Amino acid sequence: MTGSAESPADLLRARLKWYLFVRVVLVSVLLGALALVYLQQGSERYAVSVQLLLFAIVASYGITVVSAVFLAHLRRVAPFAYLQVLLDVGLTTGVIFVTGGPDSPFGFLYSLPVIGAAGLLSTPGAVVAASLSSMSYAALVGALNGGLMTRPAYPIPPAPPDLHFAIRFATTNATFFVIAALAGSLVRRLHTAEQLLHEQAAAHDRLTRLHEALARNLGSALITTDVDGLVTSVNQAAEDLVGAGGATVVGQDIGTLFPALRHTPGGRLQFLQSTAGVQPIELAYRGAQSGERALRCSAVALRDTYHNPIGGLYIVQDITTLRRLEARLAGDRNEEEPAEEVAAETPAVDGLIGTSPAMGQVRDMIERVARSDATVLITGESGTGKELVARAIHARGTRAARPFVAVNCGAIPAELVESELFGHAKGAFTGAVAPRSGLFRAADGGTIFLDEIGDLQLALQVKLLRVLQERSFVPVGTDTPVVVDVRVIAATNRCLVDEVAAERFRQDLFYRLNVLAIEVPPLRERRQDIPPLVRRFLRQFSELQGKRIHRLSVAAAKRLQEYEYPGNIRELENIVEHAVALCDGETIHEEHLPAYFTARGGAAVGVPRGPAVVATPPAKEVVGPRRDAPAWPGANLDDDLAEYEKSVLLRALAEAGGVKKRAARLLGINYRSFRHRLQKYGLGDPGAVFERHS
């Protein structure tokens, strides 16, 4: 247990032990010296005999020994401490009486009990000791001068009780209290410093134990060295890695253990001071028992309080198993990938997949605009991945650690858009049973993404313009403006220039939003990105549905490559999800693709390049039963109606580019009913596509 955890009684008990020890020392020195003078010069010059002095020394020793014995068994230590102070004041008074009374040169000895009481009991104890000393000294002087006590035959005649004597007497008594005040203040400071030292020592002990626990239980090898590269400590994992005990490893050059970490002859840490020193490096290591191993090493320089280098800390991880697993997966992938697929898949950057020149321009613009806090307007057809572009901008900017709040302005009911964006006070309108902070305040310090900004009402466009200009807004039902620090990224699949001309979008808001513009190209303009996208969706939906689908047939891949994709990446994702759901083997064929897709030959003919127009399927795909068609034997009206309803649902999906909510609006039914009908005919998981992308 550290000192900071001890009780006040335990601390006082420890101080009393030192107090008693100091008393023995002082009694031995002072009274012993006085007795020695007696023995040398004879007792006729002094008021008392040497036997009395020796008795006083013995009595002091005895009282001190008895006090030490009782101290170990006492529960109430404070009264005992005051009793010891009183005993020392009495002993000092006896010394003053022996050595001259009021004219004794040892009057300063009263300061010793005062200082001792301050050390034991702080300021209250010092004041009590000063008061006792003052009263004892005054009582002694009064008794001797007033005839109440027989005055011994002092060698020096006593001074007359004149003014000079009164001043000296008053000064001596005042000195007791001055010493008490100074000693109490000093002791308080010492106690505070002592407590702080105890707390720091306890914190250091806890930190040391934590470091030791981490070093013992951490799976990585930890090695520390001095500035010359000599190993100073290792943990158990490091001992297991090098196959030697700590006593053998400590003192060796780390370059002997790992040649890639060899130090320069001058003793500077080459690895730590290189430009790549803060990045992990990989190195090969051949152990005496473990054989060839692949290791990853991270290191950091250790410095003292004055930032002078004192050594290095190395964290070494064994990644042999990881490298073997990667090699095995790479071999399996090379064996399973079909010839019709692209050999290498483009790595996804914040979800953006593709190496086409058009996507290269988008990535370049993302890098440029991410370094700024200016407003960004992202345009492009529905389903091209505008939200992914916005998230990539946020992830690369200075606000990456702050919130990213995405809002679909077209999906929020018109009467609730203002409350959702800017918040409201309690009771601001019917149903506002509690205050709401709003999405702008939720994004404070970060980024807010306003998707489908072209669907925003004109009245709210005015309020949004104020936020962009003044970075403040007034929540619904309040008069208090709220200031926010938010970067705004907006997106739309509409041509805002045409919307401004038609007076459906404010021109000033358009200019405020169009500070930095990024246009996301449609999928038909970057066909070389289709294969990696297909592979990505194949893996995604195969894992979700517990299947192992690795490839497409040549005919299915050709159809996917030639299709115009009015719904862009979202439609491609829906097509692949549909195909994975129907495929029972490892290869997707044409029959697994959606009916509307295969019915039109895999290519949407005459699809305009505008975002708002989609291809229309051939009429034969959606016509219903002829009114003049006669019934025939074995006909089933329910089956005919079901086939007709399925064809209508598929046509609506094609017209809406695969977006189910838009297809429901085209059919004039609610979204829930549309989802139910899709589930009824096994046309996909209801609502899954819209919930991921709308």
Side-chain angles (χ1 to χ4, degrees):
M1 181 180 295
T2 61
S4 59
E6 294 179 354
S7 65
D10 293 334
L11 292 174
L12 181 57
R13 196 185 307 274
R15 295 192 189 110
L16 269 170
K17 293 178 181 179
W18 282 102
Y19 186 88
L20 296 176
F21 173 75
V22 172
R23 174 196 290 167
V24 170
V25 173
L26 291 178
V27 167
S28 301
V29 172
L30 295 177
L31 294 183
L34 191 60
L36 185 61
V37 171
Y38 261 80
L39 293 174
Q40 289 180 350
Q41 299 187 10
S43 60
E44 64 277 0
R45 296 183 54 191
Y46 297 91
V48 295
S49 65
V50 67
Q51 288 80 9
L52 180 59
L53 292 176
L54 293 176
F55 175 77
I57 294 175
V58 173
S60 299
Y61 284 172
I63 293 174
T64 303
V65 171
V66 173
S67 299
V69 172
F70 277 97
L71 178 61
H73 305 284
L74 288 176
R75 294 185 178 181
R76 301 182 62 184
V77 187
F80 182 77
Y82 280 105
L83 181 61
Q84 296 300 317
V85 172
L86 177 61
L87 177 63
D88 284 343
V89 171
L91 181 61
T92 303
T93 304
V95 173
I96 300 300
F97 172 75
V98 169
T99 58
D103 302 309
S104 173
F106 299 104
F108 67 90
L109 292 180
Y110 277 116
S111 61
L112 297 180
V114 175
I115 296 174
L120 284 176
L121 303 163
S122 191
T123 302
V127 172
V128 170
S131 301
L132 291 175
S133 298
S134 178
M135 289 187 293
S136 299
Y137 184 65
L140 177 62
V141 173
L144 291 175
N145 291 336
L148 299 178
M149 181 183 297
T150 302
R151 180 188 296 270
Y154 295 118
I156 302 174
D162 53 7
L163 179 60
H164 177 72
F165 177 83
I167 294 175
R168 188 180 64 180
F169 176 78
T171 303
T172 302
N173 281 275
T175 303
F176 300 155
F177 292 96
V178 172
I179 293 175
L182 294 177
S185 176
L186 179 61
V187 167
R188 281 199 307 273
R189 294 175 182 270
L190 290 175
H191 287 176
T192 302
E194 180 185 13
Q195 183 179 5
L196 182 60
L197 287 175
H198 282 309
E199 292 175 355
Q200 291 180 346
H204 181 269
D205 291 341
R206 289 195 298 270
L207 188 60
T208 301
R209 289 194 296 270
L210 176 61
H211 287 175
E212 292 175 352
L214 288 175
R216 285 194 305 269
N217 299 297
L218 192 65
S220 302
L222 298 181
I223 304 173
T224 60
T225 67
D226 59 14
V227 292
D228 295 322
L230 301 180
V231 176
T232 56
S233 68
V234 293
N235 68 343
Q236 185 61 47
E239 295 178 3
D240 296 339
L241 180 63
V242 300
T248 304
V249 176
V250 172
Q252 295 188 32
D253 193 305
I254 194 170
T256 305
L257 302 176
F258 307 101
L261 307 180
R262 191 178 303 277
H263 291 200
T264 60
R268 303 297 295 273
L269 301 180
Q270 181 182 18
F271 176 65
L272 295 176
Q273 295 183 354
S274 64
T275 55
V278 295
Q279 298 294 335
I281 67 168
E282 294 188 9
L283 54 122
Y285 173 74
R286 179 177 293 276
Q289 301 176 353
S290 59
E292 187 72 25
R293 314 294 293 176
L295 305 178
R296 177 185 290 129
C297 179
S298 302
V300 63
L302 301 178
R303 301 181 182 275
D304 61 15
T305 307
Y306 303 100
H307 300 284
N308 298 317
I310 59 175
L313 170 65
Y314 297 83
I315 304 175
V316 185
Q317 297 173 296
D318 188 349
I319 57 172
T320 307
T321 305
L322 177 62
R323 289 291 172 260
R324 291 174 181 171
L325 181 60
E326 290 177 350
R328 186 182 304 170
L329 290 176
D332 295 343
R333 183 176 300 172
N334 292 334
E335 294 177 1
E336 294 178 358
E337 285 194 350
E340 60 266 25
E341 292 187 0
V342 180
E345 180 175 345
T346 305
V349 181
D350 295 317
L352 299 174
I353 299 176
T355 57
S356 62
M359 283 305 297
Q361 294 178 4
V362 172
R363 287 195 176 94
D364 182 62
M365 283 297 298
I366 289 174
E367 296 293 341
R368 292 168 180 256
V369 305
R371 295 190 291 265
S372 169
D373 262 354
T375 305
V376 181
L377 178 62
I378 305 173
T379 58
E381 297 180 14
S382 178
T384 52
K386 296 185 288 297
E387 182 174 343
L388 293 178
V389 174
R391 291 184 181 274
I393 294 173
H394 173 75
R396 284 163 174 71
T398 58
R399 302 172 181 263
R402 305 297 296 169
F404 177 90
V405 178
V407 186
N408 190 330
C409 299
I412 305 175
E415 62 273 11
L416 297 179
V417 173
E418 183 176 5
S419 171
E420 290 291 322
L421 292 180
F422 307 116
H424 62 255
K426 180 179 179 180
F429 51 85
T430 303
V433 296
R436 183 182 181 87
S437 59
L439 297 175
F440 264 89
R441 269 195 279 188
D444 192 16
T447 303
I448 188 168
F449 173 59
L450 302 176
D451 197 9
E452 304 295 347
I453 191 68
D455 295 344
L456 202 62
Q457 295 179 348
L458 286 172
L460 287 176
Q461 292 178 23
V462 177
K463 199 158 189 177
L464 178 60
L465 179 63
R466 175 183 177 86
V467 175
L468 295 177
Q469 289 176 339
E470 302 180 10
R471 301 296 177 183
S472 66
F473 58 87
V474 178
V476 179
T478 69
D479 297 325
T480 305
V482 176
V483 178
V484 292
D485 175 23
V486 175
R487 181 179 191 178
V488 177
I489 300 179
T492 181
N493 61 0
R494 300 187 182 187
C495 179
L496 291 187
V497 175
D498 296 340
E499 295 295 306
V500 170
E503 298 184 351
R504 291 189 295 268
F505 201 85
R506 293 182 61 91
Q507 186 177 28
D508 48 4
L509 179 58
F510 170 70
Y511 289 136
R512 279 286 180 182
L513 293 173
N514 198 35
V515 178
L516 297 171
I518 298 178
E519 183 177 0
V520 185
L523 187 56
R524 59 180 172 272
E525 294 181 4
R526 50 186 186 103
R527 293 186 179 276
Q528 71 187 74
D529 296 336
I530 294 177
L533 284 167
V534 171
R535 286 198 299 275
R536 168 72 177 274
F537 296 145
L538 272 180
R539 285 199 307 272
Q540 175 184 340
F541 294 119
S542 294
E543 292 175 359
L544 287 176
Q545 301 183 28
K547 298 183 177 182
R548 292 179 56 85
I549 302 175
H550 306 295
R551 56 179 63 85
L552 301 172
S553 67
V554 175
K558 183 178 179 182
R559 286 185 179 274
L560 289 174
Q561 189 68 30
E562 294 176 351
Y563 184 57
E564 291 292 321
Y565 295 103
N568 293 289
I569 299 175
R570 183 182 294 126
E571 184 179 7
L572 174 62
E573 183 178 9
N574 294 341
I575 292 172
V576 175
E577 182 180 15
H578 181 279
V580 170
L582 298 183
C583 180
D584 294 326
E586 295 185 355
T587 304
I588 290 179
H589 297 279
E590 287 182 275
E591 60 265 24
H592 300 136
L593 300 176
Y596 80 88
F597 183 81
T598 56
R600 66 180 66 176
V605 181
V607 176
R609 294 298 188 259
V613 183
V614 297
T616 303
K620 65 180 181 179
E621 184 181 46
V622 296
V623 295
R626 294 172 51 190
R627 294 178 181 236
D628 58 350
W632 59 89
N636 190 313
L637 179 60
D638 291 335
D639 291 343
D640 291 342
L641 291 177
E643 288 297 324
Y644 174 69
E645 187 175 16
K646 284 177 61 176
S647 66
V648 172
L649 294 174
L650 292 173
R651 177 186 176 184
L653 276 174
E655 296 260 357
V659 180
K660 295 179 175 63
K661 196 166 188 178
R662 187 179 300 169
R665 288 200 299 266
L666 291 176
L667 293 176
I669 61 178
N670 61 51
Y671 179 48
R672 181 174 298 178
S673 176
F674 185 77
R675 290 173 58 188
H676 173 73
R677 294 169 192 267
L678 289 178
Q679 187 178 27
K680 174 182 176 182
Y681 297 117
L683 298 180
D685 182 16
V689 177
F690 176 77
E691 291 169 1
R692 280 195 303 273
H693 301 292
S694 61

